[in-house]
Amino acid sequence: EVQLVESGGGLVKPGGSLRLSCAASGFTFSSYSMNWVRQAPGKGLEWVSSISSSSSYIYYADSVKGRFTISRDNAKNSLYLQMNSLRAEDTAVYYCARDLILREVVVIDYWGQGTLVTVSS
Amino acid sequence: DIQMTQSPSSLSASVGDRVTITCRASQSISSYLNWYQQKPGKAPKLLIYAASSLQSGVPSRFSGSGSGTDFTLTISSLQPEDFATYYCQQSYSTPRTFGQGTRLEIK
């Protein structure tokens, strides 16, 4: 069974840093691209960042570029998101999510349960 | 960036109704369009990919259509478990943007 379990969320002051982790199991982690997707309270989904299976390709939303860093450790079956210079508008549930290609289209087929990040003084 | 616009933003319907949700892209995305369902407090679930292909395990009352810039998600006969928020997402280019969501409520 595919499982994605996020951790590392919490309350942080504006300007602070936080590192999110996602532990993957039930599939060959090193074969899949992975993502972070967030959802502000009561709002819609926002794709944040993605990383290819070997970390060769990394992409960020403009809203986090230069502040967030995605990384992975395939030996540990883990995905990370280092978040620096946090702002109130970064407050959200952060989901770890797996990419899959179906009929040449990239989809997100598995999501974690999410971890809440709250940026507030 | 490609903007995705869903309509309506919210919708009230009854069990057994046929419901259609629309998603429009700001430029052509061919068939690189996916639909997700999200229930309160839960992670999203993939329903439809490549505009019209049903994800494994998803009931056949869900269907998708469209290409280019205009897409629709149709639920042929609403069931109680279908009341949720629905999102479209384009995977034509990065950033892979989502629509703002359509909240489907019980009338």
Side-chain angles (χ1 to χ4, degrees):
Chain A
E1 179 193 5
V2 172
Q3 284 199 316
L4 299 169
V5 180
E6 302 94 337
S7 60
L11 176 63
V12 61
K13 290 181 168 54
S17 298
L18 213 54
R19 189 194 196 206
L20 305 184
S21 299
C22 171
S25 61
F27 65 103
T28 304
F29 180 72
S30 60
S31 296
Y32 291 84
S33 294
M34 299 293 296
N35 304 270
W36 290 99
V37 177
R38 69 183 180 183
Q39 187 169 35
K43 303 297 184 182
L45 300 168
E46 180 188 14
W47 171 84
V48 172
S49 182
S50 66
I51 185 168
S52 62
S53 57
S54 61
S55 305
S56 297
Y57 300 96
I58 289 175
Y59 304 96
Y60 298 99
D62 286 346
S63 57
V64 306
K65 200 173 294 183
R67 300 187 299 122
F68 289 12
T69 302
I70 191 172
S71 63
R72 63 191 296 162
D73 186 335
N74 287 341
K76 294 183 178 179
N77 292 337
S78 294
L79 177 72
Y80 306 102
L81 187 66
Q82 177 66 44
M83 304 186 296
N84 298 331
S85 303
L86 282 161
R87 307 166 180 167
E89 54 265 35
D90 296 318
T91 294
V93 172
Y94 284 74
Y95 292 102
C96 166
R98 188 182 85 165
D99 269 348
L100 181 68
I101 297 176
L102 295 173
R103 288 186 56 193
E104 301 182 352
V105 173
V106 180
V107 304
I108 292 177
D109 67 335
Y110 281 97
W111 304 67
Q113 84 288 351
T115 187
L116 177 62
V117 172
T118 303
V119 184
S120 174
S121 55
Chain B
D1 296 359
I2 298 174
Q3 308 303 316
M4 306 301 293
T5 304
Q6 290 180 232
S7 61
S9 295
S10 64
L11 175 60
S12 293
S14 301
V15 172
D17 283 354
R18 179 183 180 89
V19 166
T20 297
I21 298 169
T22 297
C23 178
R24 175 165 287 176
S26 60
Q27 66 183 74
S28 178
I29 58 171
S30 184
S31 296
Y32 293 86
L33 190 283
N34 309 312
W35 290 97
Y36 298 88
Q37 176 195 65
Q38 187 180 34
K39 296 181 179 179
K42 300 294 186 183
K45 170 188 173 184
L46 177 66
L47 297 177
I48 301 284
Y49 62 93
S52 61
S53 294
L54 194 67
Q55 171 65 341
S56 176
V58 174
S60 59
R61 62 182 180 272
F62 290 92
S63 64
S65 65
S67 66
T69 60
D70 294 315
F71 303 87
T72 58
L73 172 69
T74 299
I75 309 172
S76 60
S77 178
L78 273 173
Q79 298 302 300
E81 60 268 30
D82 300 338
F83 292 94
T85 300
Y86 293 83
Y87 294 93
C88 61
Q89 184 203 25
Q90 64 84 15
S91 55
Y92 181 82
S93 66
T94 300
R96 288 164 24 204
T97 41
F98 290 90
Q100 81 279 14
T102 295
R103 185 176 177 181
L104 180 53
E105 301 173 320
I106 300 173
K107 183 182 286 185

